[in-house]
Amino acid sequence: MTTATPTTLSIKHLSKSYVAGKPVLKDISLDIADCGITAIIGPSGTGKSTLIRCINRLVEPTSGEIHFEGGNLVALDRSGLRLARRHIGMVFQEYNLVERLTVMENLLTGRLGYVSPFKAWLRKFPEADIARAFELLDAVGLGSFANQRADSLSGGQRQRVGIARALMQEPKLLLADEPTSSLDPKTSVEVMALMRDLCHARGIPVVVNMHDVELAKRFADRIIGMSGGNVVYDGGPAGLTDDVLKSIYGGEDWLQ
Amino acid sequence: MSSTAVQPPAPRVAFRTNWWSRAAWIALAIYVVYAMSRLEITWDRFVLGLGNGAKFLDRMFPPHIIQPDSLLKGLTESLEIAFLASALGILISLPIGLFAARNLMPVWATWPARAIIALCRTFHPVIVAIVFVKAVGFGAMAGILALVVASIGFIGKLFAEAIEEISLKQVEAVRASGAPFMSVIAFGVMPQVFGRFVGFATYQLDSNLRNSTMVGIVGAGGIGGTLFSAFQRFDYDFVCAILLCIIGMIMAGEILAQWVRKVFLERGKVDEE
Amino acid sequence: MSTTLVPDRIDAKTWTRFTPGQRFARYTVYFALVLALVVSARSVEIIPEFLWDAPEQMQDLFKRMWPIAWAHYPGGVHDALVETLHIASLGTLFAVIMAIPIGICAANNVVPSKPINYLAKLVLVASRSVNSLVWALLFVGVFGPGALAGTLAIAFRSIGFVGKLIGEALEEVPRGSIEALQATGSPWLSILSKGYWPAVEPAFWSIVLFRWDINVRESAVLGLVGAGGIGLALNAAIDLFQWDRVAMCLFAIFVVVIVAEIVVTQIRKRVL
């Protein structure tokens, strides 16, 4: 969906090298439109995860610009970055819940950027936040789990909590770093469907990186193929022919 | 969304209040107030002391070695006490620890061994030193004996625990070959606990070194005596010098112990694999 | 040594270069140990007459200790014993209050600043290197004899222990959940209270209980240098050669220490 909808996120000439002289991302430029799921696919070690993490600067970009909500994220100082991150939700491969907190508390960590540390410590969250947390819990099908500890949940349930936590932020953009890689195939589909439905209803664009091409084709509105730190494909799922896949992953034995 | 799960119960509480933990915090707060009033710990006393502390520090610096002979003698004696006590303590605690291991020994052996270990562990080495000063007179001997007791308590306990955690399969394999009891210990048990044994032996040497600088306070030899008498004469600059020497010695000991552990535990790791 | 032969052989194959070095290091340690022992044994001052006399003296001592002066407990020991417990508990509490910020500063993942980490670690090492009796001597000098000096001695000795373990526990917190909180734009303090704290809470209580147990033992001696507690009663009895009262004090210490240990193990088993 590279139609002329207003762009939410605009990445310009982004490069990242962990070791000087060995760039993982090579001069990437991308515009993410105002809705729909954008899937980034590509072989392991090609910088998909680095790209996603550069957007909210969990990984510091080496050079380039990332424009979001009218500002350049790369140029922000610590407190500016913190305020900007409040508008970017993130879902992780290993769920990254705080294991010893309850599901409800995990959801409310999505509001920590808005609540003073002292009030957060006393668990004095605004009524509206708590009401919305219950709403989201119902939406992800975990309505009765509010007071259960996160470490008592299954992988699929944890990832639902992860999605709900990200949506608690009322984000303008959702990043998902391999959200289904630790889940079984059935749960993966359920989680992706959940993410698509919830974000579609709220008009939140999603950038997700995944290694499962079929899953990407099924759920993504736009697919970005990466190889060796470069974008080699950018288009709809229909255009993802075997030739394109070969150019992304190399070789052909793995294609049926 | 496949599983629309169970319908949530009617009253929805975001956080369950943990009354137990609240009660515990309140109890703690009450206790603190009570205990502080009993010990007569007040802010005024504290502030008053801070003024004293400034004077005290002023008198401590610069450190000054008034009696170099006595300092040197005290330090060497502390070292000697620590070495001998560790060696003797480890030697004695090995059989006691072995006897206390419940997976290898019958009850009639573990019970008295455990009682000895508990008794040795209970008392601070300095208190034990008091008793030995009475028994063998002032001097290093009392210190050595006190630290031997401490070592037995510590190493005996850990050694017994280490043996209790070993895999009995290996022991059984050696037993099955018809080996006599001592060989079972030497080939079935010792190799399995050697790595950890080095760990706590060096730890004990370290700990004995620390305590050997203290037993002198009650007359059981070492630098502690020099330190205490300097205190009582208000020679705070000498006190400061002695303290710096003790800290230096302990830190050197700690580094040395770490190095020894590294030398031996690399092999210990290979053993595990 | 049937079981160690095999690893040694693996050693030889993969680490040929290091094996002689390791051997050398090990023999150096053995040699140094034996040398140290021999030198110590030969030069340490032991008066043989005293040693031969020891069994007799010990017997005499135990004879004087028995029967234990039970009657002395209500008047002379009870208050001192309770004071000892207060010193241990309050000392642990003060230590924990001071150790938490220092421990946080020592953990590189929480405070990513090497100079602050090193400074915090230096404070922790300094606290641990000074024995609680020495701390007690210093605080008796500053605050005068009494329980205040003892409490502070226990507190300052414990800071290093508690702070070091808190720092290590914090450094072991998995990065993932912390990263997730950072990604929500949480302020540092909230990440601390909602990310790090839940993860280290069990370790924290375990450390506190462990140290309290040690402090009960340690606070019993502080009285020997005038810093309050049962050590004072013990010292007084020793100075007056009232060995039956000494036995009473020792027995009281024994019971309290054992009870403290049982309490700690039970709490650890049930709650943590």
Side-chain angles (χ1 to χ4, degrees), chain C residues 154-216:
Chain C
I154 289 291
F156 274 74
R157 171 62 182 84
S158 307
I159 289 175
F161 181 93
V162 177
K164 177 171 184 261
L165 292 180
I166 288 180
E168 284 170 3
L170 284 170
E171 285 189 334
E172 278 166 25
V173 172
R175 245 175 71 90
S177 56
I178 301 306
E179 217 171 38
L181 294 200
Q182 282 168 347
T184 66
S186 309
W188 184 79
L189 274 175
S190 294
I191 295 180
L192 205 57
S193 76
K194 294 289 167 177
Y196 285 109
W197 167 245
V200 299
E201 200 185 347
F204 174 80
W205 291 116
S206 180
I207 294 165
V208 172
L209 282 173
F210 187 31
R211 189 63 218 184
W212 180 75
D213 188 19
I214 296 175
N215 283 346
V216 170

Side-chain angles (χ1 to χ4, degrees), chain C residues 103-140:
Chain C
I104 289 171
C105 289
N108 182 258
N109 54 345
V110 190
V111 178
S113 152
K114 283 277 172 209
I116 294 180
N117 297 155
Y118 280 127
L119 195 69
K121 279 183 181 156
L122 188 72
V123 172
L124 296 179
V125 169
S127 150
R128 277 184 298 135
S129 302
V130 180
N131 196 292
S132 50
L133 270 172
V134 175
W135 279 118
L137 279 173
L138 292 176
F139 283 119
V140 167

